[in-house]
Amino acid sequence: MQSMTNRGMPVTIPAERIIEPDHPDFDVARQEWNGMVDHRPAVIVRATSTEDVVAALAIARAAGLSVSIRGGGHNVAGLAVGDGALVVDLSAMRSVEVDVDRRRVRVGGGARWRDVDAATQAHALAAPGGMVSDTGVAGLTLSGGMGWLRSKHGLSCDALRSAQVVVADGRILRATEDENPDLLWALKGGGGNFGVVTELEFELFPVGPIVATSIALYPIDEAGARLRDFRDLVADLPDEVSTLADLAPIPDDDAFPGAMRGHGGLIVMGVAAAEPEAGARLLRPLGSLGGGAVADVGGSMPYADLQQFFDADYPSGTMRYYWKSSFANDLPDGMIDRLVDGFRRRPSHHSTVDFWPHGGAAARVSFDESAFGQRETGWLISAEANWEDPADDAANIGWDRDTVAEVGGTAYLNFPGLLEEGEQQARTSHGATFGRLTEVKRAYDPDNLFRFNANIPPAIGR
Ligand SMILES: Cc1cc2nc3c(=O)[nH]c(=O)nc-3n(C[C@H](O)[C@H](O)[C@H](O)COP(=O)(O)OP(=O)(O)OC[C@H]3O[C@@H](n4cnc5c(N)ncnc54)[C@H](O)[C@@H]3O)c2cc1C
């Protein structure tokens, strides 16, 4: 490793891993998943170790730069790369170590969910992740983390047992229930506000390797009625079953019924955290809403495949995306009808409106246990505007905002649009936990070095 001087600071990061605007890789290195995002940082540091992260923060402090953190680079608002910031890029830190006896997994700060699923499923174990395998473990977890195991095992952040964090002044801290417990609490929902997380440790649960799924397809003309049936059904489903209903384009693919292919429809999906046979029984009602689904294209499948089921729908760097969301206590009939109407008016065929029941284990965690501030709501509604042509930006963003405005609650910070509301969005989304989060922020990042996030300002005064 060669020693070099950067911006007046002696550091031990090899020159080829420090990428400034005149570097030939600069444009590739600053590219994020959302093709609509075009941020120009001051410098990108490709870290390969916790020591690199310490050195990168020293450079930032010496140069007076604020810091953005790149985990999986899949932030919907493009927060991994800040305009004018020093980017701590953790993409190379993707290690995964499974401890089968203790049912724990230790994961590098730049790992993707597919890395974790591959290593843990080799032992029929899983940590609750998201629904697309390319998303970063750290970014998703630090703001909550909703996936197919949430009703049984909670959000991703609920399974976080410890973390290694480089805080603003360069100290390397462990956050556990005994060591810096306030930091661990804040990492469970408070986002990337408190430092660079170089390692996360999760509890693992027995899952798979084969799980039962239901992917039931209903015609768009029945969508309102079937969504009412779905709303009434999920209240009675056991924790083993996690569900999602999407108003979405039905893929133009042989696996789907001919009459529906290429058109909008309602997809009611469920996954059972149970033995496949018992799971299939638990899922049966999802395909029997009203007079029954046109088809159920689910069935038993490897959990690792399920985790990649949606991957192809979300190409990186080419499509334009704007995803806003709103929690809701209830789903009244009128709201369902307006959301179905909204879906029918979508400017882009690729866009969806998604209904996430928010209950079971994910709803039974107290504010003392985690900073995630939205436990007591029944539903998350998200509108995904997905399109290709920059000329259509205004129409798609406007559609998304109008659709979510029908719900009128607070946003899930992993689906925040472009986070236009800034700190106000963090304040309203955290709600009950916001005050305590500002205290933790003051303790670990008093000068707000980490501000490319749903920013929590450091508390003022003593
Ligand atoms: C295709 C797709 C599917 C998705 N599906 C789901 C889903 O099923 N469930 C769900 O809950 N969410 C989902 N999301 C939202 C996702 O959780 C967020 O976009 C999240 O920010 C992605 O994390 P990342 O590490 O890839 O992001 P990045 O862009 O790398 O980082 C985002 C932010 O997270 C913080 N951060 C990231 N890594 C670290 C770290 N190591 N230390 C400290 N802070 C860090 C930083 O503040 C950073 O600005 C999805 C997103 C996409 C693009």
Side-chain angles (χ1 to χ4, degrees):
M1 187 177 273
Q2 120 192 26
S3 185
M4 65 165 287
T5 299
N6 189 295
R7 295 168 192 271
M9 285 296 299
V11 294
T12 51
I13 301 175
E16 67 268 19
R17 290 202 272 108
I18 299 187
I19 312 218
E20 295 189 90
D22 57 358
H23 192 288
D25 290 349
F26 183 70
D27 282 335
V28 173
R30 70 187 179 88
Q31 173 85 59
E32 296 183 74
W33 166 79
N34 189 345
M36 194 168 52
V37 169
D38 182 22
H39 293 158
R40 291 188 72 83
V43 56
I44 299 166
V45 178
R46 287 180 163 156
T48 59
S49 67
T50 300
E51 290 67 35
D52 282 356
V53 173
V54 173
L57 296 192
I59 295 172
R61 285 194 309 272
L65 294 171
S66 47
V67 170
S68 70
I69 307 167
R70 184 180 190 120
H74 269 59
N75 188 259
V76 177
L79 294 172
V81 177
D83 272 325
L86 179 146
V87 180
V88 179
D89 183 346
L90 303 172
S91 315
M93 295 177 64
R94 290 174 70 164
S95 63
V96 180
E97 279 173 51
V98 181
D99 182 336
V100 177
D101 294 337
R102 288 178 61 240
R103 289 207 177 151
R104 294 288 166 95
V105 62
R106 291 162 92 100
V107 179
R112 312 286 179 97
W113 277 105
R114 91 154 69 92
D115 305 329
V116 177
D117 291 334
T120 55
Q121 277 295 282
H123 308 282
L125 296 170
M131 295 183 180
V132 172
S133 76
D134 229 14
T135 44
V137 175
L140 182 137
T141 300
L142 297 177
S143 289
M146 296 195 181
W148 288 124
L149 301 177
R150 67 192 187 284
S151 291
K152 177 71 175 166
H153 298 301
L155 304 179
S156 305
C157 69
D158 298 332
L160 185 67
R161 292 291 167 263
S162 73
Q164 178 174 267
V165 189
V166 184
V167 292
D169 63 9
R171 283 175 300 152
I172 303 170
L173 300 181
R174 280 215 77 74
T176 71
E177 274 184 16
D178 302 319
E179 236 179 303
N180 304 306
D182 55 340
L183 183 54
L184 181 64
W185 174 85
L187 295 175
K188 295 178 173 198
N193 270 281
F194 310 98
V196 182
V197 179
T198 50
E199 187 182 275
L200 304 96
E201 184 188 32
F202 293 93
E203 182 169 353
L204 293 171
F205 302 97
V207 174
I210 303 294
V211 290
T213 73
S214 171
I215 305 172
L217 309 177
Y218 294 92
I220 191 65
D221 292 340
E222 288 183 23
R226 298 297 77 83
L227 278 165
R228 288 175 178 69
D229 296 338
F230 174 66
R231 171 198 63 197
D232 298 341
L233 172 73
V234 291
D236 297 326
L237 289 175
D239 283 358
E240 279 71 20
V241 176
S242 293
T243 58
L244 174 69
D246 289 341
L247 294 164
I250 306 299
D252 198 0
D253 177 308
D254 285 352
F256 294 86
M260 295 186 79
R261 266 184 235 159
H263 302 287
L266 173 67
I267 308 178
V268 176
M269 288 189 69
V271 175
E275 291 301 318
E277 235 175 81
R281 277 196 299 277
L282 295 175
L283 294 171
R284 212 163 282 149
L286 296 173
S288 311
L289 303 176
V294 176
D296 187 332
V297 297
S300 290
M301 65 172 85
Y303 175 77
D305 289 357
L306 167 72
Q307 289 294 89
Q308 299 179 18
F309 186 81
F310 292 116
D311 283 12
D313 295 340
Y314 301 109
S316 181
T318 48
M319 293 264 300
R320 306 172 83 77
Y321 302 99
Y322 184 94
W323 298 358
K324 241 180 161 41
S325 59
S326 179
F327 282 98
N329 290 333
D330 310 304
L331 210 51
D333 291 355
M335 190 191 294
I336 290 176
D337 291 339
R338 288 192 299 277
L339 290 168
V340 173
D341 283 348
F343 173 72
R344 287 177 180 275
R345 287 195 303 271
R346 69 201 186 284
S348 166
H349 170 73
H350 302 294
S351 298
T352 72
V353 178
D354 309 323
F355 299 73
W356 304 65
H358 185 52
R364 290 194 293 266
V365 178
S366 77
F367 293 142
D368 286 341
E369 292 169 88
S370 95
F372 187 83
Q374 291 153 314
R375 297 287 181 180
E376 292 158 340
T377 59
W379 293 87
L380 175 69
I381 309 301
S382 59
E384 283 185 6
N386 311 319
W387 71 102
E388 278 140 353
D389 187 345
D392 298 334
D393 285 2
N396 282 283
I397 293 171
W399 169 79
D400 196 288
R401 287 184 182 148
D402 290 349
T403 305
V404 168
E406 292 294 348
V407 184
T410 60
Y412 173 39
L413 290 173
N414 271 336
F415 302 145
L418 293 177
L419 209 77
E420 300 89 332
E421 299 85 347
E423 182 195 314
Q424 186 56 28
Q425 189 149 336
R427 183 182 294 273
T428 52
S429 288
H430 290 301
T433 61
F434 186 76
R436 188 171 162 197
L437 280 166
T438 66
E439 303 283 344
V440 182
K441 177 77 172 177
R442 181 176 58 186
Y444 296 98
D445 184 18
D447 299 323
N448 208 3
L449 185 69
F450 306 107
R451 68 182 70 143
F452 292 95
N453 43 43
N455 198 232
I456 296 166
I460 298 164
R462 283 201 68 244

